[in-house]
C-alpha cells in the first residue's frame, strides 16, 4: 500500500508539472534572446521613425500595419515577404518601420529577418555592431539566442553581418527550412517579416517564395517603372498572395487633412 501511495504521489507531481507547462504563455523562448538598445536619433537618421507613435510621419506605416494585419487574420497568414523590383527602393526601411509599428501593439509578437543575404542592410539601419551571421543560423550552426536580438519584449530581429555568395542555394536548403520552422516553434510569433532581395537582380525571391503566405512589393517613386511593377507582381502572384504594392520615396503627398 505504501508503495502504491508513492507511485500515486509521483504521478500527481508529473501531472502538476505537465499542467504548469501547458499554462506557459506562448513564446516563452523570448527571455533568452539578448536585448538590443536602439538609439532613436540614429534610427531617425536612417529613416526608421515608427519607434514612437508621437512622430506623425509614422501614420502611413501604421495604416500599412493595420491593413496587413486585417488581411493576415482573415486568411490565417503569419508570414510576409517584402521585396522590390530593383535595389534602392527602400524595402528594408519599409520592412523595419513595419516591424516597429507592429511592436507597438504589445499583444503581438513580431519577428523580422534579413534575408537579403547578398546585401544585408538591417544591421546598418539599427546601428548594430558585431552582427551575427544569418548564414550560420540558416545552416543550423547558431541558435535563435545567438542569431537574434530583441527590441522590447515582443520584437525579435535577425540581422546579418556578412554577405552570402550562394544565397539562392542556401535559401533552398533543408537546413534553412528547418531553422525557420524551429524559430517559429520557439518564439510562436504572430507575424514574421522576411526582408528579401530585389526580384529582378537574382533568383533568391523565387527560391524563397514557397515559404511565405503573402508578399508586399515596394516600388520607388521616380525610379521604378510600371512595367517592372507588372512583371514582379505577376511573378509573385504565381507563387504566393500579393498583399499589396507600396509606393516609397514619394516627395509629393496630399495635405488636405492637415497631417
Amino acid at each position: 500500500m505504501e508503495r502504491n501511495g508513492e507511485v500515486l504521489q509521483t504521478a500527481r507531481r508529473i501531472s502538476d508539472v505537465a499542467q504548469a507547462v501547458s499554462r506557459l504563455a506562448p513564446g516563452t523562448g523570448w527571455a533568452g534572446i539578448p536585448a538590443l538598445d536602439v538609439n532613436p536619433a540614429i534610427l531617425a537618421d536612417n529613416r526608421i521613425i515608427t519607434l514612437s507613435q508621437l512622430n506623425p510621419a509614422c501614420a502611413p506605416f501604421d495604416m500599412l500595419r493595420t491593413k496587413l494585419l486585417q488581411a493576415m487574420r482573415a486568411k490565417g497568414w503569419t508570414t510576409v515577404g517584402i521585396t522590390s523590383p530593383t535595389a534602392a527602393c527602400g524595402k528594408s526601411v519599409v520592412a523595419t518601420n513595419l516591424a516597429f509599428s507592429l511592436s507597438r501593439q504589445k499583444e503581438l509578437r513580431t519577428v523580422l529577418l534579413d534575408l537579403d543575404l547578398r546585401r544585408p542592410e538591417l544591421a546598418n539601419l539599427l546601428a548594430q555592431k558585431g552582427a551575427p551571421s544569418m548564414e550560420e543560423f540558416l545552416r543550423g550552426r547558431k541558435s535563435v539566442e545567438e542569431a537574434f536580438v530583441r527590441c522590447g519584449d515582443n520584437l525579435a530581429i535577425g540581422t546579418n553581418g556578412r554577405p552570402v555568395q550562394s544565397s539562392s542555394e542556401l535559401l533552398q536548403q533543408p537546413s534553412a527550412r528547418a531553422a525557420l520552422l524551429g524559430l517559429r516553434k520557439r518564439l510562436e510569433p504572430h507575424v514574421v517579416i522576411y526582408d528579401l532581395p530585389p526580384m529582378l537582380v537574382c533568383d533568391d525571391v523565387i527560391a524563397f517564395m514557397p515559404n511565405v503566405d503573402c508578399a508586399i512589393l515596394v516600388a520607388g517613386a521616380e525610379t521604378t517603372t510600371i512595367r517592372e511593377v507588372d512583371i514582379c507582381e505577376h511573378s509573385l502572384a504565381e507563387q504566393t498572395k500579393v498583399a499589396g504594392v507600396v509606393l516609397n520615396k514619394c516627395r509629393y503627398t496630399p495635405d488636405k487633412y492637415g497631417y
Side-chain angles (χ1 to χ4, degrees):
M1 292 293 293
E2 182 178 350
R3 177 61 178 170
N4 291 339
E6 291 178 356
V7 172
L8 181 59
Q9 289 180 359
T10 301
R12 286 174 176 171
R13 284 197 295 268
I14 294 174
S15 177
D16 291 342
V17 171
Q19 291 180 15
V21 170
S22 68
R23 291 194 295 267
L24 287 175
T28 50
W30 289 72
I33 301 176
L36 176 67
D37 292 327
V38 294
N39 187 320
I42 294 178
L43 290 183
D45 288 341
N46 292 333
R47 297 183 175 84
I48 308 303
I49 45 83
T50 55
L51 196 61
S52 169
Q53 195 175 9
L54 297 178
N55 190 336
C58 72
F61 293 105
D62 289 349
M63 293 176 64
L64 175 63
R65 170 198 67 191
T66 301
K67 289 183 177 180
L68 179 64
L69 279 177
Q70 289 175 345
M72 296 183 78
R73 285 167 175 166
K75 302 292 186 179
W77 298 337
T78 57
T79 57
V80 54
I82 298 185
T83 183
S84 60
T86 57
C89 291
K91 62 172 181 57
S92 296
V93 170
V94 170
T96 308
N97 274 302
L98 177 59
F100 277 108
S101 179
L102 285 163
S103 74
R104 297 206 317 271
Q105 296 197 356
K106 298 304 181 182
E107 76 282 3
L108 292 179
R109 294 183 298 275
T110 304
V111 174
L112 170 64
L113 285 82
D114 191 344
L115 294 187
D116 190 349
L117 299 176
R118 301 175 194 236
R119 296 182 62 181
E121 182 63 20
L122 294 189
N124 294 330
L125 293 177
L126 299 174
Q128 180 190 9
K129 297 181 179 179
S133 167
M134 181 56 63
E135 179 179 9
E136 293 295 297
F137 172 73
L138 294 176
R139 293 193 184 279
R141 299 169 184 165
K142 284 189 178 296
S143 66
V144 172
E145 291 80 4
E146 294 172 315
F148 285 74
V149 292
R150 179 172 46 81
C151 296
D153 296 325
N154 61 337
L155 173 60
I157 303 179
T159 59
N160 184 23
R162 188 176 66 200
V164 179
Q165 297 301 321
S166 302
S167 53
S168 175
E169 290 80 3
L170 174 59
L171 291 173
Q172 298 178 74
Q173 288 292 320
S175 63
R177 193 174 301 109
L180 295 175
L181 180 61
L183 168 71
R184 293 173 63 185
K185 286 184 176 180
R186 182 159 181 74
L187 300 185
E188 298 188 54
H190 297 96
V191 180
V192 180
I193 303 172
Y194 298 116
D195 179 21
L196 299 171
M199 291 191 65
L200 300 181
V201 299
C202 62
D203 65 329
D204 292 26
V205 175
I206 298 174
F208 192 73
M209 268 303 115
N211 298 287
V212 304
D213 295 320
C214 62
I216 291 176
L217 183 66
V218 178
E222 301 181 16
T223 57
T224 304
T225 67
I226 296 296
R227 176 168 173 75
E228 288 173 338
V229 171
D230 287 342
I231 292 173
C232 293
E233 193 171 8
H234 179 74
S235 179
L236 288 172
E238 290 180 338
Q239 293 186 292
T240 188
K241 303 296 184 182
V242 180
V245 178
V246 172
L247 179 62
N248 193 33
K249 298 186 176 182
C250 186
R251 293 184 294 167
Y252 308 102
T253 57
D255 56 2
K256 62 183 291 187
Y257 300 108
Y259 289 94

